[in-house]
C-alpha cells in the first residue's frame, strides 16, 4: 500500500526558464561584486569556474558541500584567500550567492499546488529531495514557502545539508526515515530517469518519470550510466499522477 509520495524539486515541482536563470545570475554577481568592490563582469569567469570545480570535485561523485564552500572556491578562483576575510564579509558573500532565487523566484510547475493538496486530502505523506546546486536548502525552504508549496510538504531533504546527492541510497533513506514509512510504501516522482527513477527503484520504491512537454534549464548533467531503467509509470503532467497513484496504492508490486 502506498502511504507516501516523494518528489524531486527542480523541473518537477518548480522550474527555471533560461531568462529567469540569467536574471538570478546577474543579481548574484552584482551583489557579490559590490561586496568585493570589483566589476561584475570581472567575476563572471570565477562564477562559472566555481560551478565547474564543484562538478569536478563533488557533484560528479554524488557528494555535496555547504554553500559556504562554494563561495570559498569562487574566491580562490579570483586568487583571493578565503582565510583573509572576516566572518561578516563571508556571510554577506554567501547570502548574495545563495539567495538570488529568493528575490527572482522560479515558477511553480503547472498542477503542482493542486496535486499536493489532493495528496494531503487523501491522507498521504509528502516529501521531497533536491540536489541543490547554487541554491541551498535554507533558501529553497524560503522559496517554497513564498510559492505556497511548503505547507503541503511534510519532509524536505537537501543534498547540501545531507552531504550526498541523488541517486545515492542514503539521501532516499533520510526521506524514508523522515516520512516514517517503508520503502515499499513509497512512490517517488522526478524528471530525471537516472537520479530520480533509478535512485528510488534501487531502494525498493516505485518510481514515476515526469516528462513534461516543456522543461526549464534546471536540469542535472547527463550521466553515461549504461543502465536500462524502466519506470513504474510515466506522466506528462503532474495531475496525471492521481489515477496512477490510485492504481498502485492498493496493489503490491515486487521491489527491485
Amino acid at each position: 500500500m502506498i502511504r507516501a509520495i516523494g518528489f524531486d524539486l527542480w523541473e518537477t515541482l518548480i522550474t527555471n526558464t533560461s531568462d529567469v536563470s540569467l536574471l538570478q545570475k546577474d543579481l548574484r554577481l552584482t551583489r557579490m561584486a559590490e561586496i568585493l568592490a570589483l566589476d561584475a563582469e570581472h567575476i563572471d569567469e570565477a562564477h562559472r569556474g566555481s560551478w565547474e570545480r564543484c562538478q569536478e570535485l563533488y557533484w560528479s561523485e554524488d557528494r555535496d558541500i555547504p554553500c559556504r564552500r562554494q563561495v570559498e572556491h569562487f574566491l580562490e578562483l579570483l586568487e583571493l584567500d578565503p582565510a583573509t576575510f572576516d566572518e561578516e564579509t563571508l556571510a554577506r558573500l554567501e547570502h548574495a550567492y545563495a539567495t538570488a532565487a529568493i528575490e527572482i523566484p522560479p515558477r511553480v510547475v503547472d498542477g503542482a499546488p493542486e496535486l499536493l493538496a489532493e495528496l494531503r486530502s487523501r491522507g498521504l505523506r509528502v516529501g521531497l529531495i533536491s540536489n541543490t546546486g547554487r541554491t541551498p536548502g535554507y533558501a529553497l525552504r524560503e522559496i517554497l514557502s513564498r510559492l505556497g508549496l511548503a505547507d503541503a510538504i511534510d519532509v524536505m531533504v537537501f543534498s547540501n545539508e545531507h552531504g550526498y546527492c541523488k541517486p545515492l541510497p542514503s539521501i532516499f533513506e533520510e526521506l524514508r526515515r523522515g516520512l516514517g514509512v517503508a520503502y515499499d510504501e513509497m512512490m517517488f516522482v522526478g524528471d530525471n530517469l537516472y537520479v530520480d527513477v533509478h535512485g528510488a527503484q534501487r531502494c525498493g520504491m516505485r518510481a514515476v518519470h515526469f516528462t513534461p512537454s516543456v522543461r526549464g534549464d534546471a536540469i542535472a548533467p547527463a550521466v553515461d550510466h549504461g543502465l536500462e531503467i524502466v519506470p513504474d509509470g510515466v506522466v506528462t503532467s503532474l495531475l496525471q499522477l492521481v489515477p496512477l497513484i490510485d492504481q498502485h496504492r492498493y496493489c503490491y508490486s515486487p521491489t527491485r
Side-chain angles (χ1 to χ4, degrees):
M1 178 177 180
I2 297 294
R3 296 175 54 207
I5 309 297
F7 290 92
D8 166 54
L9 181 56
W10 288 105
E11 303 308 329
T12 301
L13 295 179
I14 61 176
T15 180
N16 252 9
T17 64
S18 57
D19 289 346
V20 168
S21 293
L22 182 58
L23 289 172
Q24 291 168 352
K25 173 190 170 183
D26 288 345
L27 178 61
R28 183 184 301 117
L29 292 185
T30 298
R31 289 180 170 176
M32 296 183 82
E34 289 174 354
I35 295 167
L36 295 169
L38 295 171
D39 186 272
E41 186 174 329
H42 176 70
I43 68 174
D44 182 73
E45 185 175 347
H47 178 264
R48 182 172 57 254
S50 65
W51 179 275
E52 294 170 352
R53 179 171 291 187
C54 288
Q55 176 64 27
E56 177 185 358
L57 295 178
Y58 313 109
W59 299 329
S60 63
E61 298 179 357
D62 297 324
R63 296 187 294 128
D64 209 348
I65 52 172
C67 190
R68 176 65 64 87
R69 186 71 186 115
Q70 293 188 42
V71 172
E72 290 171 349
H73 282 311
F74 169 81
L75 292 172
E76 290 163 356
L77 288 165
L78 288 172
E79 299 184 345
L80 299 172
D81 183 358
T84 65
F85 287 77
D86 59 68
E87 173 56 31
E88 180 182 354
T89 303
L90 288 173
R92 291 174 61 208
L93 286 167
E94 180 180 345
H95 181 79
Y97 185 89
T99 62
I102 296 177
E103 302 303 318
I104 304 173
R107 182 179 65 82
V108 176
V109 171
D110 291 343
E114 296 84 355
L115 173 64
L116 294 177
E118 178 67 20
L119 298 182
R120 296 302 296 270
S121 74
R122 293 171 181 237
L124 290 161
R125 298 275 285 165
V126 176
L128 70 81
I129 303 174
S130 176
N131 290 353
T132 53
R134 282 197 171 103
T135 308
Y138 62 82
L140 288 168
R141 287 186 182 89
E142 177 65 23
I143 290 166
L144 289 167
S145 178
R146 293 190 183 194
L147 293 176
L149 300 181
D151 287 346
I153 301 170
D154 298 296
V155 178
M156 303 182 190
V157 180
F158 299 104
S159 62
N160 72 293
E161 298 170 351
H162 178 72
Y164 294 94
C165 306
K166 296 176 294 180
L168 292 187
S170 67
I171 200 165
F172 288 96
E173 169 59 19
E174 182 170 335
L175 179 65
R176 183 208 65 77
R177 186 170 58 250
L179 291 171
V181 297
Y183 281 128
D184 61 7
E185 296 174 318
M186 296 180 67
M187 176 180 284
F188 196 81
V189 182
D191 70 301
N192 189 293
L193 198 60
Y194 176 61
V195 301
D196 296 322
V197 174
H198 170 66
Q201 286 181 337
R202 75 193 292 196
C203 294
M205 301 182 203
R206 276 157 279 193
V208 175
H209 191 202
F210 175 47
T211 60
S213 57
V214 178
R215 299 174 73 196
D217 63 358
I219 300 172
V223 175
D224 185 13
H225 50 70
L227 300 170
E228 181 182 2
I229 303 169
V230 181
D232 295 284
V234 178
V235 296
T236 57
S237 74
L238 287 178
L239 292 177
Q240 291 174 353
L241 278 165
V242 176
L244 186 59
I245 290 168
D246 286 341
Q247 175 186 334
H248 283 275
R249 191 171 185 188
Y250 300 104
C251 72
Y252 173 79
S253 64
T255 58
R256 289 164 171 77

